[in-house]
Amino acid sequence: MARKIIIDTDPGVDDILAILLALSTIPEELEVLLISVTYGNIDVHNCLRNTVSLFHHVEKEIAWRKSQGKDAGFKTLLKSKPLVAVGPETPLADQILMADFFHGRDGLGEIHETHPHMTPAETWKDLFQHAEKSQDPEEKAVAEELQSTDALFTPSRVPSSEEILRLLRENEPDTITIVAIGPLTNLALAASLDPETFLRAKEIVVMGGSINEGGNITPVAEFNTFADAVAAARLYALSSPNPSTTMPPTAPSPQGSQPPPFLQPYPPNLPRQLKITIFPLDITHRHSLSRGAFRKTLSPLLAQNSPLAEWVSAFMTSTFNKVESLQRDVSGDEVELDLHDPLCIWYCMGLNPAEWKIIEDEDLRVETAGQWTRGMCVVDRRTRKKREDDGEGEVPGDTGNWLGRKSGNRLRRCVGSPGEDLFGGLLLKRIFNL
């Protein structure tokens, strides 16, 4: 049976590839319920524009394939169109940080400036503006009329966090997986609003963190985790037998006031622990796509005027050039793009499940307050044995309560896949239906 997924994303380059992979699966593999948009690689407005642009080019590609007598592909998408919802513009408790230095100010290597003919008309904004006012009958009618022109997705009428909770309530427990490939703000907000409903999720699959490798935004931190370290720490605490042992500290509130709801403690005695599987840079760095392999696959499609190949080639060309500019010893066809976010989709597709290598029950915590270490993933590398005492509080010699049997997080971490050298080719074959 197909795995139902929600994709929480900040569409830059590898996010777009991940979404395309998910939508090009077959219905027996995945059902994409929601694409939940957050800020991250760039501001939330550009993330939403890139999401709409993706559907615009997929629609053109499907029409082109049919005109050429080809299989239209995108069977998962054509069977069930997803919702698209929008989240907040800023992290829970930090200043916003974006990765526009790498992805460009629009998230796709400035494609909206260099290839303006590839950008959908600005009328897409009205889909979400009217959706937000949809309780008004007149506004609802306008939204429905606009939606009829964009048949591949449905704009949500509520923020991402509320849409996530609604879907979890309306589906049986353990049937929805949330794939988080951006900062974790939307998920942390949903968990804070209604933790018991959030715990109905089957699994949270996260692209984030760095354990034994250097970071990609600081020497010790990966971008998604760094961008909202508080959100990551709060989400990961739900994997703990006792979430209070790993919750991040909060800044003091003005006298007499309470912290905002999204920074308050979780209620005691939650019904169960959250299953979280993370894909840190340690594993995602080992899955890449070379410029040479990309060019070899897309050249025939470009010669045939494939709309999707033209769009993907435009932003990938810019991205390969950017990667090359940052490397000292790699150039030409050897330049590679790491497939961080698509790897999480491949895992959810359920192919060769026995060949995925997962470390279970790792007490991994996120640093939220360090001057130089914000977003760092901390694990206990000491060989000390666990305490027999299961008390919740700290004891002498165990600052941070790392050794208690009922304290600390319990994350799953991917350390191996069915084939590091195979994934880039599989990705292109699925997306372009080859």
Side-chain angles (χ1 to χ4, degrees), residues 18 285 390:
H285 267 163
D390 285 334

Side-chain angles (χ1 to χ4, degrees), residues 18-195:
I19 298 169
L20 285 171
L21 176 61
L23 298 179
S24 63
T25 58
I26 58 176
E28 292 75 22
E29 292 170 337
L30 295 179
E31 179 184 354
V32 183
L33 302 178
L34 168 67
I35 295 176
S36 165
V37 180
T38 182
Y39 70 90
N41 290 316
I42 26 84
D43 63 276
V44 73
H45 169 84
N46 274 301
C47 286
L48 180 57
R49 176 168 66 169
N50 291 343
T51 303
V52 175
S53 189
L54 179 151
F55 283 103
H56 172 73
H57 289 283
V58 167
E59 186 173 33
K60 292 174 65 176
E61 177 73 6
I62 290 171
W64 175 79
R65 289 179 186 177
K66 289 180 177 179
S67 73
Q68 300 293 307
K70 299 175 180 284
D71 184 340
F74 294 102
K75 291 180 173 58
T76 287
L77 173 61
L78 293 175
K79 181 177 180 180
S80 178
K81 65 182 179 182
L83 289 158
V84 173
V86 186
E89 298 181 4
T90 58
L92 295 185
D94 294 308
Q95 292 184 335
I96 189 169
L97 173 81
M98 295 184 291
D100 51 3
F101 68 93
F102 182 83
H103 291 271
R105 289 169 296 174
D106 64 1
L108 295 177
E110 315 297 349
I111 189 175
H112 297 293
E113 291 185 11
T114 59
H115 298 72
H117 62 288
M118 292 186 175
T119 301
E122 291 291 285
T123 52
W124 63 265
K125 295 179 183 177
D126 292 333
L127 287 168
F128 295 89
Q129 291 169 353
H130 287 284
E132 291 170 0
K133 304 173 184 178
S134 61
Q135 300 308 311
D136 182 317
E138 292 185 8
E139 295 289 349
K140 184 176 180 180
V142 173
E144 289 174 349
E145 181 180 353
L146 287 166
Q147 173 57 23
S148 67
T149 65
D150 291 87
L152 294 184
F153 72 92
T154 300
S156 173
R157 301 173 183 176
V158 299
S160 288
S161 55
E162 295 180 26
E163 196 69 83
I164 290 170
L165 290 172
R166 181 188 68 79
L167 289 168
L168 289 171
R169 287 189 196 103
E170 294 180 1
N171 286 267
E172 291 295 320
D174 293 318
T175 58
I176 294 179
T177 295
I178 302 175
V179 186
I181 53 178
L184 294 170
T185 312
N186 279 329
L187 275 62
L189 285 172
S192 296
L193 287 169
D194 188 345

Side-chain angles (χ1 to χ4, degrees), residues 209-368:
S210 180
I211 315 304
N212 299 312
E213 292 196 5
N216 61 2
I217 189 68
T218 75
V220 295
E222 174 275 331
F223 174 81
N224 288 341
T225 308
F226 183 90
D228 197 341
V230 170
R234 288 182 63 89
L235 181 73
Y236 292 175
L238 287 173
S239 73
S240 174
N242 184 359
S244 64
T245 62
T246 59
M247 286 285 278
T250 57
S253 301
Q255 189 172 7
S257 67
Q258 294 290 324
F262 55 80
L263 293 179
Q264 290 182 9
Y266 295 122
N269 303 316
L270 290 172
R272 65 178 188 175
Q273 296 163 239
L274 186 63
K275 181 180 179 181
I276 303 175
T277 305
I278 67 167
F279 287 73
L281 295 179
D282 308 56
I283 183 68
T284 62
H285 267 163
R286 302 191 332 236
H287 298 76
S288 58
L289 175 64
S290 72
R291 179 191 267 157
F294 178 81
R295 182 174 52 78
K296 182 178 180 180
T297 300
L298 261 69
S299 291
L301 295 170
L302 291 171
Q304 298 172 54
N305 299 316
S306 157
L308 185 61
E310 291 174 355
W311 182 60
V312 172
S313 181
F315 66 72
M316 287 290 284
T317 297
S318 174
T319 303
F320 282 125
N321 290 341
K322 182 66 176 182
V323 173
E324 185 172 23
S325 73
L326 298 173
Q327 303 292 321
R328 287 181 297 182
D329 304 318
V330 181
S331 61
D333 282 353
E334 302 303 313
V335 173
E336 293 184 332
L337 173 70
D338 292 334
L339 300 172
H340 305 293
D341 297 336
L343 187 62
C344 295
I345 300 296
W346 188 25
Y347 166 77
C348 289
M349 288 163 62
L351 305 176
N352 308 109
E355 296 182 33
W356 291 91
K357 296 180 177 61
I358 307 290
I359 293 176
E360 301 280 352
D361 294 333
E362 185 168 48
D363 185 3
L364 183 150
R365 311 183 192 184
V366 175
E367 175 59 62
T368 62

